[in-house]
Amino acid sequence: MTGEGVRERAAVHPGIAREHGLYVVLANHVGPAGPWTGCGGAAVWAPGGALLAAADDRTPGVVTVEVPAA
């Protein structure tokens, strides 16, 4: 089971980006690992909560985003 991972990815992570005005990066695995099944969906959100890039929930991969220097 993926537990609350799908819900968190959709609501919690972009909410953190909006509330705190910072980039949020989620790294997650895909498929079974011990008693857990990773829901995938590695992603990056911009300050404000906009989704900048995301992996899918089935294919192992890497998500990258270029962000401006502070």
Side-chain angles (χ1 to χ4, degrees), residues 28-60:
N28 200 6
H29 71 279
V30 175
W36 304 102
T37 299
C39 62
V44 180
W45 291 268
L51 180 64
L52 298 177
D56 67 38
D57 61 353
R58 295 170 299 283
T59 309

Side-chain angles (χ1 to χ4, degrees), residues 9 24-28 40-45 51-56 59-66:
R9 187 194 176 283
V24 173
V25 177
L26 169 66
N28 200 6
V44 180
W45 291 268
L51 180 64
L52 298 177
D56 67 38
T59 309
V62 176
V63 173
T64 60
V65 172
E66 191 169 320

Side-chain angles (χ1 to χ4, degrees), residues 10 13-19 21-24 44-52:
H13 296 87
I16 292 169
R18 277 191 304 277
E19 182 178 343
L22 49 79
Y23 290 93
V24 173
V44 180
W45 291 268
L51 180 64
L52 298 177

